[in-house]
């Protein structure tokens, strides 16, 4: 089949799927934004688009419908040359798929449905410290759904990476939804008792050492950075040999923007000023993937927190690497971790609970050995790329919505 991937930042979630489809004999092409700087291993058509300002209640709809129009106009140029996919598979996040049915009405249109915003039980209003729960805020949240629901309704079939993320979509769309995770390469992401990681400008860490890790794209409240930072003074006082490594950029991330031109890193360092041994706290920024894997192989305790939002790849990859994950007891995390069996769950806001649990995990690595093994086995049994997720994806692309 001729399969067209549509993704502003391709490959994104399709980094494993697109090559697998090509290996299976399908002809793969890509429609992506001309600002995408990722390497493109498949023939790619680029559309041009600059996001207009988002200043009104309908601002997001305006942004994403104009983006969708740009993608559709580039698609029309391909169609005029005789190019016609049998299957279009695209993320619905940015509106790219909104008008493609008008260009290629015979193609099956499949949507990657990652998450639908809502005013209760999700990220909006979850954290009272930073989140606004006013009527204006709730209306803004609902307005953000317009292009997502429009794209989801038009798709022949949808896929979501976790059961909870799929559940955020309304009942009338559930018959269209399949749950297939992007997949974890458990054959590559294995524990290594001889692993080392050189902290830039800091110590050489070794597997088996007392290392606490925290990894996210950005250090931000959506991923609980503020909670962990408040727990660190107590953790580091109780564990004077522990090394703490925090991976992530200084961007504002998904949620509230820190004031006064500061990053969340600086805001939280100011808050705990004088309470931490900064010689044992290491901020690496973002790391190359190979370095991230090496770091996680040295981890004795890995903290992962998230609002009720999209589950990060990094948490599941840490479990595959045999990490003891201490995770927030929020729906996306609790779907993947059974408390006391494949990891530990702590109330997101319970700073003392975070300190106590992480101290316990750091203090007795032998007691955590069964959890390490169970965590990895759970990822193999549930999220393995080659035996579970890729076969599910291939079947979805080849048959869903037919």
């Amino acid at each position: 089949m001729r399969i067209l991937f549509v993704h502003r930042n391709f490959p994104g979630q399709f980094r494993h799927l697109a090559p697998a489809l090509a290996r299976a004999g399908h002809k793969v092409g890509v429609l992506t934004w001309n600002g995408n700087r990722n390497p493109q291993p498949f023939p790619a058509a680029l559309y041009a688009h600059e996001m207009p300002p988002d200043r009104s209640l309908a601002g997001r709809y305006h942004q994403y419908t104009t983006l969708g129009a740009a993608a559709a106009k580039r698609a029309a140029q391909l169609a005029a040359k005789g190019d016609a996919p049998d299957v279009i598979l695209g993320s619905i996040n940015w509106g790219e798929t909104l008008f493609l049915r008008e260009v290629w009405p015979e193609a099956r249109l499949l949507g990657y449905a990652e998450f639908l915003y809502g005013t209760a039980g999700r990220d909006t209003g979850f954290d009272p410290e930073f989140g606004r729960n006013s009527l204006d805020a709730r209306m803004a949240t609902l307005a953000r759904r317009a292009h997502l629901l429009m794209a989801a309704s038009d798709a022949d079939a949808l896929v979501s990476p976790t059961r909870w993320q799929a559940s955020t979509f309304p009942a009338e769309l559930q018959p269209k939804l399949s749950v297939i995770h992007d997949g974890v390469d458990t054959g590559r992401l294995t524990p290594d008792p001889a692993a080392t990681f050189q902290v830039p400008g800091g110590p050489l860490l070794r597997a088996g050492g007392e290392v606490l890790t925290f990894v996210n794209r950005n250090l931000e409240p959506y991923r609980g950075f503020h909670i962990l930072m408040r727990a660190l003074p107590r953790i580091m006082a109780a564990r004077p040999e522990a090394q703490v490594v925090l991976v992530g950029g200084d961007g504002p991330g998904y949620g509230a923007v820190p004031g006064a031109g500061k990053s969340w890193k600086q805001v939280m360092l100011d808050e705990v000023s004088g309470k931490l041994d900064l010689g044992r706290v290491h901020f690496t920024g973002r790391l190359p993937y190979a370095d991230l894997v090496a770091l996680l192989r040295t981890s004795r305790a890995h903290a992962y927190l998230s609002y009720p939002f999209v589950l990060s790849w990094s948490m599941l990859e840490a479990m595959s690497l045999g990490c003891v994950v201490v995770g927030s007891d929020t729906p996306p995390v609790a779907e993947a971790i059974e408390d006391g069996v494949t990891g530990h769950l702590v109330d997101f806001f319970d700073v003392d609970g975070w300190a106590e649990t992480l101290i316990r995990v750091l203090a007795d690595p032998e007691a955590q050995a069964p959890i390490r093994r169970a965590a990895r086995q759970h990822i193999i049994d549930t999220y393995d790329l080659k035996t579970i997720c890729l076969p599910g994806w291939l079947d979805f692309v080849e048959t869903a919505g037919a």
Side-chain angles (χ1 to χ4, degrees):
M1 293 188 299
R2 295 160 297 177
I3 300 169
L4 179 68
F5 284 92
V6 184
H7 193 298
R8 180 177 170 85
N9 300 309
F10 186 88
Q13 295 91 345
F14 307 130
R15 56 180 174 161
H16 299 303
L17 176 61
L21 286 165
R23 290 193 299 269
H26 300 295
K27 185 178 180 180
V28 173
V30 176
L31 178 62
T32 188
W33 177 46
N34 66 354
N36 182 358
R37 298 294 176 252
N38 295 321
Q40 298 301 321
F42 300 102
L46 309 179
Y47 64 83
H49 178 261
E50 295 295 330
M51 282 287 190
D54 175 12
R55 296 195 180 98
S56 70
L57 196 60
R60 290 296 178 96
Y61 185 75
H62 179 216
Q63 287 180 327
Y64 294 129
T65 52
T66 57
L67 191 155
K73 288 176 181 178
R74 184 67 180 94
Q77 293 173 349
L78 300 177
K81 296 190 299 182
D83 293 338
D86 299 302
V87 177
I88 301 166
L89 173 55
S91 170
I92 69 171
N93 284 2
W94 302 284
E96 290 165 301
T97 65
L98 283 173
F99 308 115
L100 295 182
R101 179 84 76 187
E102 299 304 309
V103 179
W104 291 301
E106 302 302 319
R108 277 190 296 125
L109 181 58
L110 309 178
Y112 187 90
E114 190 172 40
F115 180 75
L116 185 66
Y117 300 98
T119 57
R122 300 171 212 179
D123 54 329
T124 297
F126 174 74
D127 189 342
E129 183 175 354
F130 303 111
R132 297 176 298 123
N133 201 29
S134 64
L135 177 59
D136 283 346
R138 296 196 301 275
M139 289 191 297
T141 295
L142 293 177
R144 294 181 70 180
R145 297 158 54 106
H147 76 282
L148 296 168
L149 289 170
M150 182 176 166
S153 296
D154 196 40
D156 293 305
L158 301 165
V159 67
S160 192
T162 71
R163 295 190 306 275
W164 182 77
Q165 286 168 242
S167 76
T168 64
F169 288 84
E172 57 267 28
L173 292 177
Q174 291 299 316
K176 289 186 178 185
L177 270 160
S178 298
V179 176
I180 311 169
H181 193 267
D182 311 336
V184 178
D185 190 350
T186 63
R188 177 185 179 188
L189 300 176
T190 58
D192 180 0
T196 62
F197 174 76
Q198 178 63 59
V199 176
L204 178 68
L205 306 178
R206 300 180 183 277
E210 193 166 348
V211 180
L212 168 60
T213 53
F214 177 85
V215 173
N216 273 297
R217 182 177 300 173
N218 289 294
L219 303 176
E220 58 164 319
Y222 253 65
R223 301 305 194 186
F225 174 64
H226 56 313
I227 302 296
L228 180 65
M229 286 294 289
R230 289 165 182 163
L232 279 184
R234 183 176 166 189
I235 294 167
M236 298 186 75
R239 307 302 306 167
E241 301 302 316
Q243 299 286 334
V244 180
V245 184
L246 302 105
V247 179
D250 288 337
Y254 294 109
V257 177
K262 293 184 177 180
S263 65
W264 284 115
K265 170 185 168 182
Q266 192 57 57
V267 168
M268 294 313 302
L269 281 173
D270 290 347
E271 181 177 322
V272 298
S273 177
K275 300 178 183 179
L276 293 179
D277 177 359
L278 294 178
R280 295 189 287 128
V281 179
H282 312 288
F283 293 92
T284 67
R286 296 179 184 175
L287 289 176
Y289 187 69
D291 291 345
L292 178 62
V293 171
L295 169 64
L296 290 173
R297 283 177 168 145
T298 72
S299 177
R300 184 180 293 186
H302 180 69
Y304 178 78
L305 301 88
S306 179
Y307 287 8
F309 191 57
V310 173
L311 183 68
S312 303
W313 289 333
S314 64
M315 192 197 85
L316 300 179
E317 292 182 336
M319 293 171 71
S320 180
L321 290 162
C323 291
V324 179
V325 176
V326 180
S328 58
D329 193 5
T330 46
V333 183
E335 181 174 328
I337 293 179
E338 183 180 355
D339 187 32
V341 178
T342 57
H344 302 280
L345 295 175
V346 179
D347 181 275
F348 183 96
F349 301 104
D350 185 1
V351 173
D352 287 339
W354 280 97
E356 291 166 6
T357 305
L358 287 166
I359 289 168
R360 175 162 51 90
V361 171
L362 290 168
D364 194 352
E366 291 305 313
Q368 301 299 318
I371 286 181
R372 288 181 179 273
R373 292 191 293 269
R376 174 165 168 77
Q377 191 61 51
H378 177 61
I379 300 302
I380 292 171
D381 293 342
T382 311
Y383 301 98
D384 182 68
L385 175 67
K386 294 179 180 178
T387 63
I388 296 171
C389 297
L390 272 183
W393 267 108
L394 289 170
D395 180 66
F396 176 81
V397 173
E398 291 172 350
T399 67

